[in-house]
Amino acid sequence: MGLQCFFGGTTIQTLRMAVIPASSSSRFIFGKPLSKTLTLNSLSRRCSSINYLKKPPFTLLIKAFSSTAEQTAPSTESVENRSVVKPQWKAAIDFKWIRDNKDAVALNIKNRNSNANLELVLELYEKMLAVQKEVERLRGERNVVANKMKGKLEPLERQKLVKEGKNLKDGLITLEEDLLKLSDELQQEAQCIPNMTHPDVPIGEEDCSTMRKMVGSPHEFSFPVKDHLQLGKELDLFEFDAAAEVSGSKFYYLKNEAVMLEMALVNWTLSEVMKRGFTPLTTPELVRSSVVEKCGFQPRGENTQVYTVEGSDQCLIGTAEIPVGGIHMDSILAESMLPLKYVAFSHCFRTEAGAAGTATRGLYRVHQFSKVEMFILCQPEESESYHEELIKIEEDLFSSLGLHYKTIDMASGDLGAPAYRKFDVEAWMPGLGRYGEISSASNCTDYQSRRLGIRYRPSESSTNPKKGKGKLAPTKFVHTLNATACAIPRMIICLLENYQQKDGSVVIPVPLRPFIGGLERIAPKFPQDE
Amino acid sequence: MKGKLEPLERQKLVKEGKNLKDGLITLEEDLLKLSDELQQEAQCIPNMTHPDVPIGEEDCSTMRKMVGSPHEFSFPVKDHLQLGKELDLFEFDAAAEVSGSKFYYLKNEAVMLEMALVNWTLSEVMKRGFTPLTTPELVRSSVVEKCGFQPRGENTQVYTVEGSDQCLIGTAEIPVGGIHMDSILAESMLPLKYVAFSHCFRTEAGAAGTATRGLYRVHQFSKVEMFILCQPEESESYHEELIKIEEDLFSSLGLHYKTIDMASGDLGAPAYRKFDVEAWMPGLGRYGEISSASNCTDYQSRRLGIRYRPSESSTNPKKGKGKLAPTKFVHTLNATACAIPRMIICLLENYQQKDGSVVIPVPLRPFIGGLERIAPKFPQDE
């Protein structure tokens, strides 16, 4: 916790840190042991749960931070020769449940290709329980001694008791230290355990995912189909080359009607989702790294998708799921407040570490994009039905835009650590000649809420708030869900490629026209060579 | 040494050649060092100043124009924070936990208001011939420097990404300025007029006090920015055009404001002349800056390497280098069309009603689904 407090987020701290050149050595100066990075790198075996990353990536140069750190000898304290770093926060993991259901948990870990070490978790848990018991026993004995010393005693007897008391105290201190270390290590290992899996989820790798639904079919074109890059060039909609100079590859400017199209998509999507009872939000795009971790992402893992701000504990968000998940962290909500339904608009930033190849041309895989995201907090027994509600909303939106798409029930090997179940939507992109992911809807059950500390109090007792603690029903963890309502660049690809006309123009789908000043088509700017 | 030589003479020449070579290497190293040091020092020299700019500190700035007057309220005026709380428009406390101080969530009608402001502003400025853009918000630090900012200075306003040379932009001026860097434009392309929408990130290092409560000074905000590249002789008139557009926009929204000609001690290094607009914020009880319009002449273009070729020779591109007119540096200008949080403060505080609601200015209504007012969510205590 001490390390966490150091970066209290004051701007003065940040400004001094900014003077230091960008390198991992800045970590030294502020007392953060590099070992923290090393250990957390080892946690990268957790599945990356970011929607767009599917292939095992190789390290991007930007993450020089991680690789440089590995060259320096760590100074960690170790418990039985393992490196342990004090976690900055604790997930409220139900160890007893894990122990009581260890076969199911083990099978789940295997099905998800997770590297979580269940044996170690159980071992540490038992040890911790044993040490706890011993601590309690010693405390009991110490109390007995203390009570004895309150009465009249012979000097010799008193001396003997004092010595005994001191021995007990020293023993306790050692045990309590051990308990702390065990507890930290248990946390570190247990946090790697992925969420359980819905029984209907297909078991296996990506190719085992099953199709839930298909809407429409690929449009037949009577002329050669262009991809979005070519359309963008001819219609003067993007600028990639200048962006590569100014910012680097996978950055872009949108121009002209593409800007209007982005605005229209965001406004229409927000409007449609608000109609369904969601509260609109805009969110911070810089958040504390602990919040990123609590949502199930890894800011400091190898191949991390997360940009970190130099000299601070802040990261750029890869999705509004993170700041929205954080709104109610460390809170107890009244049952009557649930469900909470948010629709959030934000820019998103992703390093896309390791992603390469043609599937990353143009707008398909970029470092920065706009996205409208849906987020629900609800009671556990309702999360499955809200998952269905979210995928239905997505399907309604994409159908309204006239897209041809399929909804996929993602296989166990392709779920992110937080997701109990995940539905992806892939839309037909004629220019790419294949389906491309345009959205993802996850039911994270209590995985995120146990880390973010989001509870609710069931209502039996909410009518008697003042009757004393004994009368209140115990709190439970909420379930959280998130779903992409609109990821702008992929939507732009879909609209340009599907709605292209023979004359080189692109038709604007009818639902968007009121949000784009009535514009019906994007017309070519330059004469076309036939 | 190319001709026939006696061995002794050759030896003498070889030695002389070597001495010269060594001398040259040393001198060339000196030249490089001097050149680097000269660059470093010279880059500190600020732009020249327009002769009409008042000389002195901030208090010497002069008022060019005032539009309207402070609205008289028949009831106690609330500030935007209180209005935001009552109308459930902001969330500051959760943001402080998630991100830190000076961060916020917008909620409900505030989100719709931001969308409406952005869309209306883009639409209005596009009507005036500006090309709309959205921009990268991560840029190389060299581009930030070339625009006249200091990513690594003390009290820097700039966030840097760990382990890279990238920074978060504080204004779309930076990525837009970078579009044509290291380029030679045809004269016929000028003027280039862009209107860019982006999120902006600022550390606000060192800023503290009541003037930073709520939305007034935040680390992240949305902004619509105008940017012009033009021929040198035209920059003054485009500066007038930019301030006129800003004034039209603010007048359309019914704001009371004054336009200030900033004094020499208060210009940024790049600005030849700078006009700020300060709008009346009744909740704050004072004027607050809502926009800034700068003519940077060739300060940025000399750093960004943006030139144009005057047209005498553009009809003869293939006649050889000798026939082309020498390139010149363009002039660049930038101006805030709409800075969302300060605009939200203005609208909430100026348009508040006795019953706690806030009226939406008429021009924005088509962009906010026809909504005419933001009504209180909770019963008001009278």
Side-chain angles (χ1 to χ4, degrees), chain A residues 40-41 44 57 59 63 66 70 298 300-305 353:
Chain A
L40 285 171
N41 276 341
S44 67
T59 317
K63 291 300 122 198
S66 308
E70 283 165 12
Q298 293 182 20
R300 300 194 185 285
E302 241 185 67
N303 298 318
T304 180
Q305 280 278 18

Side-chain angles (χ1 to χ4, degrees), chain B residues 147-351:
Chain B
C147 290
F149 302 93
Q150 295 185 10
R152 299 194 184 281
E154 247 187 62
N155 294 323
T156 180
Q157 280 278 16
V158 182
Y159 287 101
T160 302
V161 170
E162 194 175 85
S164 93
D165 72 334
Q166 288 178 321
C167 307
L168 283 167
I169 61 170
T171 163
E173 175 190 342
I174 299 171
V176 177
I179 289 181
H180 298 291
M181 44 182 219
D182 302 320
S183 303
I184 301 175
L185 310 172
E187 185 186 297
S188 57
M189 288 172 73
L190 302 177
L192 283 163
K193 296 172 157 184
Y194 295 113
V195 58
F197 168 61
S198 79
H199 289 183
C200 303
F201 301 87
R202 299 187 183 185
T203 66
E204 296 296 350
T210 41
T212 66
R213 254 165 61 86
L215 290 178
Y216 193 81
R217 195 173 299 279
V218 288
H219 288 306
Q220 173 193 323
F221 58 98
S222 298
K223 182 164 67 62
V224 181
E225 181 82 357
M226 297 181 283
F227 196 95
I228 294 183
L229 299 96
C230 66
Q231 297 185 55
E233 49 277 15
E234 299 184 342
S235 59
E236 279 200 51
S237 81
Y238 283 123
H239 198 198
E240 292 295 333
E241 179 176 320
L242 286 169
I243 191 65
K244 176 84 176 39
I245 294 174
E246 287 184 358
E247 289 167 354
D248 285 349
L249 291 171
F250 306 147
S251 295
S252 299
L253 293 176
L255 300 181
H256 160 47
Y257 61 88
K258 47 187 186 176
T259 307
I260 321 252
D261 199 347
M262 303 304 283
S264 61
D266 217 14
L267 299 169
Y272 178 69
R273 193 173 197 186
K274 186 156 89 99
F275 300 139
D276 276 10
V277 177
E278 297 184 359
W280 178 245
M281 300 179 175
L284 251 84
R286 60 176 185 81
Y287 293 89
E289 181 191 330
I290 59 168
S291 84
S292 195
S294 297
N295 178 2
C296 297
T297 64
D298 63 355
Y299 185 97
Q300 293 178 328
S301 58
R302 282 179 178 275
R303 287 156 175 72
L304 291 164
I306 311 177
R307 297 171 166 81
Y308 76 102
R309 195 174 298 284
S311 60
E312 294 85 53
S313 54
S314 59
T315 50
N316 293 317
K318 292 184 181 138
K319 291 261 168 162
K321 208 167 180 189
K323 296 267 177 165
L324 293 171
T327 58
K328 294 186 186 179
F329 287 101
V330 301
H331 277 200
T332 63
L333 302 98
N334 65 81
T336 322
C338 188
I340 298 317
R342 300 241 171 132
M343 195 56 74
I344 289 182
I345 295 176
C346 283
L347 296 182
L348 291 180
E349 295 189 356
N350 281 291
Y351 282 94

Side-chain angles (χ1 to χ4, degrees), chain A residues 96-310:
Chain A
K96 186 166 177 302
W97 187 90
I98 291 175
R99 185 188 64 190
D100 295 344
N101 292 276
K102 64 176 183 184
D103 291 337
V105 175
L107 181 60
N108 188 51
I109 287 173
K110 178 163 166 285
N111 288 336
R112 282 168 174 262
N113 293 325
S114 163
N115 290 335
N117 189 342
L118 181 59
E119 289 304 313
L120 181 56
V121 169
L122 293 173
E123 189 190 316
L124 288 169
Y125 181 56
E126 293 302 327
K127 272 194 189 143
M128 197 187 77
L129 286 179
V131 171
Q132 241 167 15
K133 211 170 161 186
E134 185 63 14
V135 163
E136 275 157 33
R137 191 182 69 79
L138 282 185
R139 281 193 187 139
E141 281 187 21
R142 204 174 144 203
N143 285 340
V144 166
V145 168
N147 282 333
K148 279 189 191 161
M149 280 175 46
K150 285 180 185 168
K152 271 198 165 124
L153 296 165
E154 296 294 312
L156 217 64
E157 225 185 311
R158 180 166 287 274
Q159 209 179 334
K160 209 169 110 192
L161 280 174
V162 165
K163 189 168 177 193
E164 193 180 337
K166 191 185 178 307
N167 285 342
L168 286 169
K169 180 178 168 188
D170 290 341
L172 257 172
I173 286 175
T174 311
L175 274 182
E176 278 165 350
E177 274 173 19
D178 286 346
L179 188 59
L180 215 59
K181 279 186 207 163
L182 273 169
S183 173
D184 287 346
E185 200 185 352
L186 177 59
Q187 259 296 310
Q188 186 182 298
E189 293 300 326
Q191 279 183 20
C192 296
I193 298 175
N195 202 357
M196 295 307 287
T197 308
H198 190 290
D200 293 351
V201 167
I203 307 297
E205 292 302 321
E206 188 177 345
D207 48 304
C208 295
S209 301
T210 56
M211 188 171 80
R212 274 172 50 102
K213 184 182 207 171
M214 180 177 276
V215 171
S217 58
H219 180 240
E220 299 274 323
F221 286 91
S222 61
F223 54 91
V225 151
K226 300 170 187 167
D227 74 357
H228 73 278
L229 273 175
Q230 194 182 351
L231 289 160
K233 186 170 277 185
E234 292 172 5
L235 297 169
D236 199 20
L237 299 175
F238 318 135
E239 185 53 69
F240 279 93
D241 295 338
E245 290 301 315
V246 171
S247 305
S249 70
K250 299 202 191 63
F251 284 98
Y252 58 97
Y253 298 81
L254 293 184
K255 293 174 73 169
N256 296 315
E257 290 94 334
V259 176
M260 298 163 67
L261 195 52
E262 167 165 336
M263 298 294 141
L265 280 163
V266 170
N267 284 293
W268 172 74
T269 305
L270 277 173
S271 162
E272 286 295 302
V273 179
M274 280 167 65
K275 280 182 198 167
R276 289 156 164 91
F278 286 67
T279 300
L281 287 179
T282 64
T283 78
E285 290 157 14
L286 281 170
V287 300
R288 300 183 202 270
S289 59
S290 56
V291 181
V292 178
E293 287 166 1
K294 291 173 184 179
C295 290
F297 302 97
Q298 293 182 20
R300 300 194 185 285
E302 241 185 67
N303 298 318
T304 180
Q305 280 278 18
V306 182
Y307 287 103
T308 302
V309 170
E310 192 178 272

